[in-house]
């Protein structure tokens, strides 16, 4: 009890001043780069006058949204509710069948409430999620979301991704000023450096053009348009292998479950009243073949023995049933080209490892930021001045988005087993630190849940885990070998988190108020430069 109280109050204070100094130092030397519009094969040149062009009949769009996934559908409804004319073009309007995008953190649910689309998690057999359970080497700990200060309806939600998206699409299409169309966008249309719309093939395969003052690309992780609008640096650290466990009783009802397995984590959560999603992480870009049975053998011989005994039988039954799916896990920091007439959002713009289920929270938080920026504007036609104004979007979103991104990518590295002894000590220290209770539990879980996505809180707890691991090594006898291992632990922790923070942008993440775009005011007539 005394040890727990000591760590709850003393440890974070020990490192706060050190971290503030480190972050301030990095903030001065790693400044975000400004980029100009990039021209490639996904941008076509428009030679005709496209100042006011009909989409269908006499309908003129204010905004084109490319993609109707979670981000695109929510954005279309949000802009439509603000009386904007929105044209949504989605490659496939049938119900998606995906193995990710199924867990919405409480912070994401709060954004649903803010956008007025919380009813989209109703009537799809969505399950409430109240926290996580962690398993390692026969030990288990329960981590509850800190929901005491919120309304009883606030919690995480887990569901079939396709059902949720269909509800979002129905919600958007219910507005008379939102047009939802099936089609494949081939390229963006550019005139004099400004994006004026898109070229696409409709459901019948006919090539069409659509024009709007602002084009927002939300076409997901496989986006074929993002290279026109950003500098994509996509990494694939691992793949998820997904199964559905039927009639499975999880050890902790209404909780996400994370098994710190060898070589990497296993994630489970309910997606309906009778189904549990199981995601087995496989490091690297290649997975055992599903077609020739290698995958079944891997799951049974390597993964199954590490599963909690409560779910073992259901896991084996799901393997025998088949229907095993896999998908690569991508991460990509946001690195946009400020482009007049266009904007990137969702997974087309920014990705992180899906271990923490933060993707939908980031997308919905971005939509809230963009909505608030656009609300003072009725006319979006001046693409250059709008572009300059919307540079503030990239700064205003950064503290929340970068915190969730950094947590996801860093936690994945910590949770993976390693041949490096210091890395394994960090993994063990993280598990035990989260089990201390008090601030050592509520702080990290508030970050994970999206309820308190503050960058400095993240860094403090990350290094608190590292220091906790070092002190454990030095007690009771600080031998030279243990001191050296502790030094490698601190070095390894720095090697995990600092490159991630640098990629996200230190200045925007920790000191957004020092970025000029933070104070950008709505454009007025006469402003025409996009920096």
């Amino acid at each position: 009890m005394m040890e727990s109280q000591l760590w709850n109050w003393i440890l974070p204070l020990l490192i706060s001043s050190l971290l503030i100094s480190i972050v301030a130092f990095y903030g001065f030397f790693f400044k975000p780069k400004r980029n100009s519009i990039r021209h490639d094969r996904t941008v076509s040149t428009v030679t005709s006058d496209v100042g006011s062009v009909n989409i269908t009949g006499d309908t003129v769009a204010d905004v084109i949204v490319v993609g109707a996934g979670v981000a695109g559908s929510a954005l279309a409804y949000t802009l439509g509710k603000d009386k904007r004319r929105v044209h949504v073009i989605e490659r496939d309007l049938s119900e998606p069948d995906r193995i990710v995008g199924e867990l919405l953190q409480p912070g994401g649910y709060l954004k649903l409430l803010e956008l007025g689309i919380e009813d989209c998690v109703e009537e799809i057999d969505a399950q409430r999620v109240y926290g996580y359970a962690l398993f390692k080497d026969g030990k288990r700990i329960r981590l509850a979301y800190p929901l005491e200060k919120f309304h009883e309806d606030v919690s995480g939600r887990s569901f079939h991704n396709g059902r949720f998206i269909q509800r979002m699409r129905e919600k958007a299409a219910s507005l008379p000023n939102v047009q939802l169309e099936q089609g494949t966008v081939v390229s963006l249309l550019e005139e004099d450096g400004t994006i004026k719309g898109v070229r696409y093939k409709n459901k019948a395969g006919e090539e069409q053009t659509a024009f709007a003052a602002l084009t927002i690309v939300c076409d997901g992780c496989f986006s074929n348009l993002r290279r026109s609008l950003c500098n994509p640096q996509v990494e694939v650290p691992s793949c998820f292998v997904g199964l559905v466990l039927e009639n499975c009783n999880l050890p902790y009802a209404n909780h996400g479950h994370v098994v710190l397995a060898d070589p990497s984590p296993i994630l489970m959560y309910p997606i309906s009243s009778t189904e549990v999603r199981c995601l087995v992480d496989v490091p690297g870009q290649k997975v055992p073949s599903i077609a020739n049975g290698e995958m079944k053998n891997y799951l049974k011989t390597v993964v199954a023995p590490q599963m909690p005994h409560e779910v073992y039988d259901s896991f084996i039954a799901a393997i025998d049933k088949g229907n095993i799916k896999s998908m690569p896990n991508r991460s990509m920091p946001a690195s946009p080209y400020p482009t007049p007439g266009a904007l990137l959002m969702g997974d087309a713009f920014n990705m992180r490892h899906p271990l923490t289920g933060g993707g939908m929270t980031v997308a919905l938080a971005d939509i809230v930021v963009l909505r608030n920026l656009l609300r003072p504007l009725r006319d979006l036609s001046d693409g250059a001045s709008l572009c300059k104004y919307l540079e503030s979007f990239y700064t205003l979103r950064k503290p929340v988005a970068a915190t969730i991104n950094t947590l996801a990518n860093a936690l994945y590295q910590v949770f993976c087993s390693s041949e490096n002894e210091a890395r394994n000590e960090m993994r063990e220290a993280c598990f035990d630190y989260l089990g201390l209770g008090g601030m050592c539990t509520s702080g990290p879980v508030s970050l994970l849940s999206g309820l308190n996505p503050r960058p400095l809180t993240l860094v403090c707890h990350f290094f608190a885990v590292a220091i906790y691991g070092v002190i454990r090594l030095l007690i009771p006898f600080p031998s030279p070998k243990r001191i050296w291992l502790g030094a490698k632990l601190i070095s390894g922790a720095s090697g995990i988190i600092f490159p991630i923070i640098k990629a996200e942008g230190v200045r925007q993440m920790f000191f957004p108020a020092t970025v000029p775009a933070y104070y950008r005011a709505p454009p007025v007539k006469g402003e025409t430069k996009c920096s």
Side-chain angles (χ1 to χ4, degrees):
M1 184 66 180
M2 291 292 293
E3 180 187 11
S4 176
Q5 291 177 349
L6 178 67
W7 288 116
N8 286 339
W9 296 105
I10 301 299
L11 190 55
L13 295 177
L14 283 174
I15 61 171
S16 294
S17 58
L18 172 63
L19 295 175
I20 291 172
S21 300
I22 292 172
V23 169
F25 176 82
Y26 272 78
F28 282 109
F29 290 98
F30 296 108
K31 298 183 180 181
K33 297 179 181 179
R34 291 188 179 274
N35 300 289
S36 58
I37 182 171
R38 172 173 173 159
H39 300 270
D40 65 13
R41 61 186 178 83
T42 60
V43 178
S44 303
T45 301
V46 181
T47 56
S48 59
D49 180 11
V50 295
S52 177
V53 181
N54 288 347
I55 295 175
T56 56
D58 57 355
T59 304
V60 178
D62 298 309
V63 180
I64 292 172
V65 176
V66 181
V70 172
S73 299
L75 179 63
Y77 176 78
T78 300
L79 297 179
K81 195 170 64 169
D82 283 351
K83 309 302 181 184
R84 301 196 189 277
R85 295 159 294 185
V86 183
H87 183 192
V88 185
I89 306 173
E90 162 59 36
R91 182 182 59 82
D92 185 358
L93 288 174
S94 62
E95 183 175 309
D97 183 13
R98 303 182 66 208
I99 63 172
V100 293
E102 299 172 317
L103 178 59
L104 180 68
Q105 297 288 1
Y109 183 76
L110 288 176
K111 296 304 176 184
L112 288 184
L113 288 170
E114 197 169 346
L115 295 171
I117 52 178
E118 69 278 5
D119 57 335
C120 290
V121 297
E122 298 173 1
E123 300 178 8
I124 59 173
D125 200 16
Q127 303 298 297
R128 292 174 180 263
V129 178
Y130 297 110
Y132 276 86
L134 263 58
F135 299 78
K136 184 180 186 298
D137 299 332
K139 299 180 292 184
R140 56 181 68 186
I141 54 176
R142 177 179 171 272
L143 309 172
Y145 290 142
L147 299 172
E148 298 81 5
K149 298 181 180 179
F150 297 93
H151 186 272
E152 62 180 11
D153 192 49
V154 176
S155 67
R157 294 292 196 281
S158 53
F159 38 69
H160 281 273
N161 172 268
R163 296 176 187 176
F164 180 56
I165 286 178
Q166 290 302 90
R167 287 278 289 163
M168 301 270 274
R169 290 171 177 174
E170 292 167 4
K171 185 87 171 177
S174 68
L175 298 176
N177 50 319
V178 175
Q179 176 194 357
L180 193 60
E181 180 181 4
Q182 183 163 309
T184 301
V185 175
V186 177
S187 64
L188 302 173
L189 299 177
E190 177 195 345
E191 181 186 67
D192 298 329
T194 298
I195 302 300
K196 295 291 187 176
V198 299
R199 190 183 311 279
Y200 70 102
K201 292 183 179 180
N202 63 18
K203 190 175 182 180
E206 301 166 337
E207 190 165 287
Q208 305 280 327
T209 54
F211 300 92
L214 179 62
T215 299
I216 304 178
V217 176
C218 310
D219 57 345
C221 61
F222 299 104
S223 173
N224 66 337
L225 301 176
R226 67 160 67 100
R227 289 188 178 277
S228 322
L229 304 173
C230 76
N231 177 27
Q233 299 174 353
V234 181
E235 295 183 359
V236 183
S238 67
C239 298
F240 265 158
V241 176
L243 306 94
V244 174
L245 314 186
E246 297 178 341
N247 300 310
C248 172
N249 294 319
L250 289 169
Y252 298 89
N254 299 104
H255 281 67
H257 292 60
V258 180
V259 181
L260 274 63
D262 184 5
S264 53
I266 303 164
L267 181 61
M268 293 178 287
Y269 48 85
I271 54 174
S272 74
S273 54
T274 61
E275 298 166 302
V276 169
R277 171 66 71 194
C278 177
L279 296 171
V280 177
D281 186 85
V282 178
Q285 300 184 23
K286 294 185 67 176
V287 298
S289 172
I290 295 175
N292 66 12
E294 288 180 5
M295 178 61 75
K296 283 189 175 183
N297 182 62
Y298 175 81
L299 294 174
K300 286 185 176 182
T301 59
V302 177
V303 178
Q306 303 183 73
M307 299 292 283
H309 65 86
E310 295 94 335
V311 303
Y312 180 86
D313 290 341
S314 297
F315 184 70
I316 295 296
I319 297 171
D320 290 336
K321 186 176 179 179
N323 195 26
I324 301 170
K325 299 181 179 179
S326 68
M327 67 160 289
N329 294 324
R330 292 174 167 83
S331 65
M332 184 186 76
S335 183
Y337 300 132
T339 306
L343 197 68
L344 271 173
M345 294 195 74
D347 282 352
F349 174 46
N350 184 204
M351 295 180 282
R352 76 293 309 150
H353 196 283
L355 174 68
T356 59
M360 289 188 288
T361 300
V362 171
L364 294 169
D366 283 354
I367 291 169
V368 170
V369 172
L370 182 62
R371 177 200 65 181
N372 293 341
L373 287 172
L374 292 180
R375 268 186 170 169
L377 308 178
R378 297 316 309 168
D379 183 6
L380 306 178
S381 60
D382 188 344
S385 59
L386 180 64
C387 166
K388 184 177 180 181
Y389 172 57
L390 288 182
E391 285 184 11
S392 60
F393 167 74
Y394 303 119
T395 302
L396 294 171
R397 71 176 292 272
K398 184 60 77 169
V400 171
T403 300
I404 293 174
N405 295 344
T406 303
L407 175 65
N409 294 332
L411 199 61
Y412 173 72
Q413 294 186 53
V414 172
F415 277 3
C416 287
S417 66
S418 172
E419 295 180 358
N420 184 305
E421 188 178 2
R423 183 68 66 87
N424 282 330
E425 285 290 342
M426 180 75 175
R427 187 187 193 212
E428 185 73 31
C430 184
F431 182 87
D432 290 342
Y433 179 88
L434 291 171
L436 290 174
M439 191 166 63
C440 296
T441 299
S442 63
V445 176
S446 69
L447 291 163
L448 176 67
S449 64
L451 296 172
N452 181 34
R454 297 183 180 180
L456 192 56
T457 301
L458 167 63
V459 176
C460 283
H461 280 288
F462 188 82
F463 279 98
V465 169
I467 293 174
Y468 175 66
V470 171
I471 294 176
R472 281 160 34 113
L473 286 170
L474 301 182
I475 296 174
F477 302 111
S479 66
K481 179 181 178 181
R482 288 174 172 267
I483 293 173
W484 177 243
L485 184 58
K488 290 199 294 184
L489 194 157
I490 293 292
S491 175
S494 301
I496 288 174
I497 197 166
F498 283 136
I500 300 172
I501 291 175
K502 180 183 175 183
E504 289 290 337
V506 175
R507 188 180 178 194
Q508 287 181 308
M509 184 173 174
F510 290 93
F511 311 106
T514 69
V515 180
Y518 185 84
Y519 304 98
R520 198 103 347 130
V524 295
K525 290 183 178 180
E527 292 184 347
T528 59
K529 182 181 179 182
C530 181
S531 58

